[in-house]
Structure formats: structure tokens, C-alpha cells
Amino acid sequence: MSAKDAQRTRIATAPGFIAALDQSGGSTPKALQQYGVEPSDYSGDAEMYAAVHAMRSRIILSDPFTSEKVLGAILFERTMDSDINGKPTAQILWEERGVVPFLKIDKGLADEANGVQLLKPMPDLDALLAKANEKGIFGTKERSLILEANAQGIADVVAQQFEVAKQVAAAGLVPIVEPEVHIDSATKAEAEGMLEAEIIKHLNDLPDGVDVILKLTIPTKAGLYDAAADHPRVLRVVALSGGYSTNKACDLLSQNHKMIASFSRALAEGLSVKMSDAEFDAALGRNIDQIFAASVA
């Protein structure tokens, strides 16, 4: 079995969750602050990205971060391009940790229109996908944002997401389609109903051989995405934490039996640069255990 086939089987069938280690420029200072690294502790982008790479490396190399409970990890492009212990990050993940590597490919969000924020243009996407293949990446992720139940906006978000997904699949990678619904939206449940209908419509139009992973906000109505999870073109449905605390995200996720976690902030909750390795491993281990339990509930 090839590495890609082994990775596909693992993502589609194994118990566990996908770690999101893909904070980019805008969210990096916040992620570092949560970890106890203040803006005064670094000067300029290079030092900031070095600090966040050190944090991610510490997570990846931590004893609890193994294939037993972590299926995959989503990386920022700089992380993919960086080494851990002298080896490319994606190589360390798969060969030493048994964790399937993914890459965040979007360039951020466009300005709000029709109650949503579409993806910014990605003119260099083909080159990035080629580099991802060379680096041993299995799949990709791109995030758009739905702020309200606007039928036109939601249709536009899903159409754009699936257009990108086809481009990713054509490059031999598996796309994670992420049309996030804001957890504080006043029309969250209504927006999710519209989103589910649009997703099913686009899934039905996918040709055989083009499979996707869906990354979605945990729905207000438990089980809303079960039909999508059972669709033959869907490898897995994963949930984003969306700003919920670890406890809240895990409680909501456990009510959705066909979703697993793909948490970022919730995974790193309570971790600190000041912790000893033993303290860090224990805290991360508790988070991983809690997120795993909610993913297999």
C-alpha cells in the first residue's frame, strides 16, 4: 500500500481527530499570547514566526501527540517549509508520529458581502499545490466565513469552496472544504440549514474519484451533517472549535456522532511556554484525551 493510500484509509476510518496547527499571520500573535509569549517578547515577523514554530514543534514532538489519537495535522505554509530536528515537518509528522499532514492554502478572507466572506484570490495555487506534493502533504484546507443566513452568500461560499476543491483534487491532493458559520451569528441555525442543502447539492455533482473532507462549525441542530458524512464523496466530516472553550466544543461535538474534531485554539488551551516538558506533556495529553473522547462519542 502506498503512503497516500495508507493516509486515505487512516483519515476515512480510524478513530481520532485532526489537529489544526495552521494559525497564519493574523491569528499568530493571539495564538502566541495564549501560549504565554507576549508581543514584547519578539521583534518583527521573523521572530514571531520562529516563536510559533517552536510552539508547534513542541506540540508535535510531545509524547501524547501520536497516531493513537491524532489522525492528522493541518500546517501553515511556513510550517511546511520549516524543519523539526533537521527533518521537514510533514516528514516528521508521518514517518515519526504516524500523523497525516495537511496544508492550509487560503490567503485569508475577502471583505464581507451578502453576509459572508469569500476566499481571497489564490493566483499562485497551482505552484503551492505542486510544492505541497513535493513535501509529502496529503491534503489541503481553505476557510471561508458565513456571518448570517443569506441564501445568495451561502451559495457563493459553497460554489467557490468546491471550485477550489476540484483544483486541489486535480493536483492529487484531498481538499478540506471549510465554510465556517460564525458561532455568534444571530441566524446560525438557519444559516446551517441553508449550508447543508448547498453542500449536498455540490457533493452530488462531484465526479467519481474526487473525494473531500468537510470542516464545519458544530451545528446548532445535532446530527445536521449526518447525511453529508454518509455521502460517497466524503471521506470525513470534521468540526472546528470556532472560539468555543475546549469543554464547550467537546460537549457539543459529542452530540454529533458522525463528526470528529479538528480543533486549533481548543487543542492548545492551557499550554504555556513557561511549563516544564513534563507539565506541558501532561496538559496537552489532557486536551488530546478530552478531544479524542468527544470525537469517538
Side-chain angles (χ1 to χ4, degrees):
M1 184 185 288
S2 70
K4 280 274 173 86
D5 287 341
Q7 290 168 340
R8 177 182 289 269
T9 299
R10 179 159 175 68
I11 291 298
T13 63
F17 66 92
I18 296 175
L21 305 175
D22 60 334
Q23 297 93 346
S24 52
S27 54
T28 298
K30 197 172 173 183
L32 282 172
Q33 230 166 349
Q34 181 188 325
Y35 183 53
V37 178
E38 298 296 330
S40 57
D41 294 331
Y42 52 84
S43 175
D45 282 359
E47 287 188 15
M48 177 183 76
Y49 286 121
V52 84
H53 185 63
M55 178 186 78
R56 290 169 179 153
S57 300
R58 195 178 188 192
I59 290 171
I60 288 167
L61 296 174
S62 177
D63 287 345
F65 192 89
T66 69
S67 59
E68 184 184 348
K69 292 176 179 169
V70 184
L71 297 179
I74 305 169
L75 307 175
F76 178 47
E77 186 180 353
R78 280 176 182 262
T79 310
M80 176 184 75
D81 290 340
S82 300
D83 290 352
I84 297 175
N85 290 348
K87 280 189 179 179
T89 304
Q91 193 177 333
I92 283 270
L93 278 170
W94 178 243
E95 294 179 4
E96 298 192 12
R97 314 304 283 167
V99 173
V100 179
F102 291 83
L103 175 67
K104 168 190 161 74
I105 57 170
D106 66 75
K107 301 300 179 189
L109 299 169
D111 292 337
E112 181 185 345
N114 292 325
V116 302
Q117 289 182 270
L118 294 170
L119 301 164
K120 283 183 177 175
M122 295 181 276
D124 302 322
L125 181 56
D126 283 335
L128 180 58
L129 296 176
K131 182 168 75 165
N133 268 313
E134 290 168 13
K135 297 274 187 178
I137 296 291
F138 171 76
T140 64
K141 189 208 82 163
E142 69 275 354
R143 170 183 172 265
S144 0
L145 185 61
I146 296 166
L147 301 163
E148 60 187 55
N150 181 305
Q152 183 61 55
I154 291 170
D156 291 344
V157 159
V158 178
Q160 185 190 41
Q161 281 278 347
F162 275 83
E163 186 181 332
V164 173
K166 288 172 187 171
Q167 189 176 350
V168 170
L173 298 162
V174 174
I176 298 178
V177 169
E178 185 183 8
E180 176 180 347
V181 178
H182 200 294
I183 61 170
D184 295 325
S185 170
T187 51
K188 179 175 180 284
E190 189 184 351
E192 287 167 343
M194 294 176 177
L195 175 62
E196 193 267 348
E198 286 294 323
I199 286 172
I200 294 292
K201 185 172 83 178
H202 282 270
L203 287 173
N204 289 339
D205 287 341
L206 284 180
D208 287 352
V210 177
D211 295 332
V212 302
I213 296 164
L214 302 173
K215 182 166 179 174
L216 305 167
T217 306
I218 306 169
T220 301
K221 179 186 175 186
L224 177 67
Y225 298 119
D226 284 1
D230 290 335
H231 196 283
R233 298 276 65 81
V234 175
L235 285 186
R236 210 76 187 244
V237 179
V238 303
L240 55 99
S241 50
Y244 289 128
S245 69
T246 307
N247 286 341
K248 177 74 168 174
C250 288
D251 178 52
L252 292 172
L253 177 61
S254 65
Q255 299 166 38
N256 290 271
H257 307 303
K258 295 189 177 183
M259 297 180 87
I260 64 171
S262 178
F263 293 170
S264 172
R265 199 209 50 74
L267 174 67
E269 186 173 283
L271 303 181
S272 170
V273 68
K274 299 175 181 68
M275 286 176 163
S276 69
D277 287 345
E279 291 168 335
F280 182 91
D281 288 355
L284 179 62
R286 285 191 295 272
N287 288 353
I288 286 174
D289 288 347
Q290 185 179 1
I291 296 167
F292 176 83
S295 295
V296 300

